[in-house]
Amino acid sequence: MHIDILTVLPELLESPLGHSIMKRAQDKGHLTVQVHQLRKWAVNAYGQVDDYQYGGGAGMVMMCEPLVAAIEELQKERTYDAVIYMTPDGERLEQRTANRLSLKENLLIICGHYKGIDQRVRDHFVTHEISIGDYVLSGGELAAAVLVDAIGRLLPGVLNDETSALTDSFQDNLLAPPVYTRPAEFRDWKVPDILLSGDPKKVEDWRHEQALKRTQERRPDLLQ
Ligand code: 6GU
């Protein structure tokens, strides 16, 4: 998969996408991410990409010209399966969204800032609008990092057995069960006997039961 990201703050994406599993995904060639500074397509030598909003009101709006110039230049290079705009009024990101997007070949992600981007870019270029939850961030960059991580780790070959996505919370609408590591006894807190039993069937049943219990207690909405 290839992902292009348009932003005025490329630095905000470098660290989250440059470490751990996202780094490995890119090193192994499963994922390529190119972060583009939108000011490269600015309308003047000051690097201007935003302007006052028509109708008045506080807050700047990201202009059509730089965004459209950037999008059209990138579109000459590749055909995008989705042009995604990160925005708090978008559709909430869920595991199924990440699953679906992980099957695509080329994604273009636009990070908004200030009051957002000119509506005409949304109308004519954006195919998906995604929010990562009901709270407001200063810009779309951290949300884009979340989206790329959620998608990137699902690409075939990125995760190994140990990090397998199959046992993740949410992957089958269940939260993950509790986990333990050595020592078997710490202070007087013991690891559940079943996990030490060496009986894989019993262990699997216990984990499923614990996952159900945890989901019932914490997220009954997932079981509806
Ligand atoms: Cl995608 N962008 C911003 N600015 N805030 C958010 C968001 C996105 N998702 C939740 N809050």
Side-chain angles (χ1 to χ4, degrees), residues 157-217:
V158 170
L159 297 186
N160 49 40
D161 264 4
E162 278 150 65
T163 53
S164 168
L166 293 176
T167 54
D168 287 343
S169 281
F170 299 109
Q171 203 49 269
D172 26 54
N173 269 7
L174 281 184
L175 300 184
V179 293
Y180 299 86
T181 187
R182 293 187 300 173
E185 188 169 347
F186 173 74
R187 300 194 175 162
D188 59 345
W189 307 322
K190 290 197 173 111
V191 171
D193 284 335
I194 286 191
L195 295 179
L196 309 176
S197 71
D199 183 337
K201 172 77 171 98
K202 275 192 181 155
V203 168
E204 199 203 307
D205 288 349
W206 181 86
R207 285 184 173 150
H208 185 69
E209 169 195 308
Q210 292 294 313
L212 260 175
K213 179 165 170 272
R214 190 168 267 195
T215 310
Q216 250 144 20
E217 283 166 6

Side-chain angles (χ1 to χ4, degrees), residues 43-101:
V43 293
N44 56 33
Y46 303 108
Q48 187 185 352
V49 294
D50 58 349
D51 209 336
Y52 298 100
Q53 57 178 317
Y54 278 119
M60 307 292 273
V61 173
M62 291 171 73
M63 307 164 75
C64 286
E65 285 123 298
L67 281 167
V68 170
I71 295 167
E72 287 183 337
E73 185 173 326
L74 294 172
Q75 279 176 333
K76 283 185 198 146
E77 199 81 21
R78 44 177 63 80
T79 303
Y80 294 101
D81 302 296
V83 177
I84 301 166
Y85 173 45
M86 303 308 302
T87 175
D89 58 16
E91 187 180 313
R92 180 130 35 112
L93 176 62
E94 294 188 349
Q95 188 60 45
R96 78 174 78 87
T97 328
N99 291 349
R100 209 176 299 135
L101 289 171

Side-chain angles (χ1 to χ4, degrees), residues 86-94 129-137 143 146:
M86 303 308 302
T87 175
D89 58 16
E91 187 180 313
R92 180 130 35 112
L93 176 62
E94 294 188 349
E129 301 195 326
I130 296 178
S131 158
I132 64 164
D134 289 343
Y135 41 83
V136 179
L137 302 170
V146 166

Side-chain angles (χ1 to χ4, degrees), residues 19-38:
H19 291 95
S20 183
I21 291 169
M22 289 307 103
K23 175 165 164 38
R24 216 177 59 222
Q26 293 172 81
D27 290 348
K28 287 166 101 183
H30 302 299
L31 174 66
T32 50
V33 182
Q34 268 181 279
V35 182
H36 305 271
Q37 169 56 269
L38 181 65

